[in-house]
Amino acid sequence: MTLDCSIAKAIKFAEDRLISGDGGRLEAERLLAYLLKVERSYLYTWSDKRLTPTQWACFQQLLQRRARGEPLAYIRGWQEFWSLNLQVTEATLIPRPETEQLVELALQRLDLERAFNVADLGTGSGAIALAMGSERPRTRVIATDISAAALEVARSNGYRLGLDNVTFRLGDWFAPLAGERFHLIASNPPYIAEGDPHLTQDGLAFEPDIALIAKDKGLGAMRHIARAAREYLVDGGWLLLEHGYDQGPSLLALFTQLGYQQVTDFCDLAGLPRVVIGQWRAC
Ligand code: GLN
């Protein structure tokens, strides 16, 4: 392709190289909009406009990164989650739309008018904590993560969004929460088994192992959280855990065996079992 390349031609060029089915064109437009610092609609209004040689060269570099599998969210440095634009880096998992189901289930249990204590364990970019905090301004949300680099991203997301009801603490799962009690504990912990072939697909290789992989066939972190949460929930408090597509039965059995009540597995919008919840009754 010559250097004299219009926006429309650049998008077509990219679409042909991105090989992601119907999403190729959208991806191409998102990359170009990111590079030109414009909205996607601009690309349609100005489709005949020429890219400068530098823009064209940069666009090709971005395309190469994307074609090698690097997720768009890492290339752009942000991802939309719930109604929030969140900064993401390679220290954080990229928040997924499925996780919005967990947020929705949490909000159904948090009355808007009341002030609850809520925890989000392994917060990554802060996605769950910030979504809950933005919808429930009276509720106090504490988010923990063992990764200082991830927590820094989460903190800066909270600061930028002005959500001062969400605070961030460094540490392993419940370690920074000693002695505290919560009305609701939510987590999207790592749940993929080591060596699972999915880890080489869909750009997962670019995401932090610590956010993806758990021991005991992927159930290790969830087992730890479900056991320990009983000491951190108020009477009647809820635990919500996101899980992998085939882990629902194990988690239903685990929650029941640990004494949780109203144990239910909810499906995501794709119809896959995704979030197990249970209520803790102290007696
Ligand atoms: N809670 C964050 C999210 O859902 C990070 C989860 C993780 O790192 N496993 O995106």
Side-chain angles (χ1 to χ4, degrees):
M1 168 111 24
T2 66
L3 290 181
D4 187 26
C5 179
S6 68
I7 283 181
K9 277 191 197 153
I11 290 172
K12 181 78 185 74
F13 175 86
E15 192 184 349
D16 293 343
R17 272 149 194 84
L18 284 173
I19 331 170
S20 50
D22 296 342
R25 182 172 181 90
L26 186 59
E27 292 244 325
E29 290 176 2
R30 283 179 170 155
L31 275 176
L32 189 55
Y34 160 70
L35 177 71
L36 301 180
K37 299 190 177 60
V38 296
E39 298 290 325
R40 258 196 325 121
S41 57
Y42 175 100
L43 307 176
Y44 286 88
T45 316
W46 300 99
S47 59
D48 292 336
K49 197 174 154 85
R50 312 269 143 199
L51 299 185
T52 65
T54 310
Q55 287 170 335
W56 176 234
C58 290
F59 188 50
Q60 282 179 302
Q61 276 172 15
L62 292 183
L63 272 180
Q64 265 172 25
R65 285 171 65 184
R66 185 68 197 102
R68 276 200 298 266
E70 185 172 346
L72 185 68
Y74 287 150
I75 296 176
R76 295 196 295 194
W78 63 270
Q79 173 71 23
E80 194 173 354
F81 179 79
W82 201 248
S83 58
L84 313 170
N85 274 341
L86 298 177
Q87 185 204 344
V88 292
T89 70
E90 289 184 14
T92 68
L93 193 82
I94 300 166
R96 309 290 205 270
E98 301 90 91
T99 306
E100 293 177 346
Q101 166 73 355
L102 184 152
V103 172
E104 213 162 293
L105 288 165
L107 294 177
Q108 286 165 8
R109 283 155 187 83
L110 300 170
D111 186 331
L112 184 58
E113 300 309 322
R114 283 185 55 196
F116 293 100
N117 263 350
V118 168
D120 169 25
L121 308 181
T123 196
S125 63
I128 297 171
L130 294 169
M132 292 192 297
S134 71
E135 297 288 340
R136 296 292 181 268
R138 289 172 185 226
T139 281
R140 171 174 163 264
V141 185
I142 301 180
T144 71
D145 206 293
I146 197 171
S147 157
L151 209 65
E152 201 178 306
V153 174
R155 234 180 226 132
S156 102
N157 278 324
Y159 181 73
R160 187 172 31 80
L161 295 165
L163 294 171
D164 49 18
N165 57 331
V166 184
T167 51
F168 300 91
R169 294 189 194 166
L170 182 65
D172 195 16
W173 305 127
F174 292 96
L177 305 176
E180 295 181 62
R181 294 268 173 185
F182 297 89
H183 298 94
L184 185 145
I185 296 173
S187 182
N188 174 24
Y191 51 69
I192 305 179
E194 228 165 323
D196 186 312
H198 290 104
L199 290 166
T200 58
Q201 297 164 15
D202 299 332
L204 259 56
F206 289 83
E207 297 188 85
D209 283 353
I210 193 179
L212 295 169
I213 301 171
K215 287 189 258 183
D216 302 337
K217 298 188 185 145
L219 293 167
M222 293 192 282
R223 283 199 179 120
H224 170 73
I225 294 171
R227 274 197 198 107
R230 296 173 298 174
E231 269 182 49
Y232 292 87
L233 284 167
V234 299
D235 183 27
W238 290 92
L239 175 64
L240 291 79
L241 290 185
E242 180 170 332
H243 62 79
Y245 71 99
D246 56 354
Q247 293 169 327
S250 307
L251 284 175
L252 287 172
L254 175 71
F255 272 49
T256 307
Q257 181 213 330
L258 291 173
Y260 289 94
Q261 298 187 14
Q262 312 225 42
V263 178
T264 317
D265 196 4
F266 288 89
C267 291
D268 60 23
L269 291 177
L272 296 171
R274 181 61 67 184
V275 183
V276 165
I277 72 163
Q279 190 175 35
W280 181 245
R281 287 277 169 211
C283 47

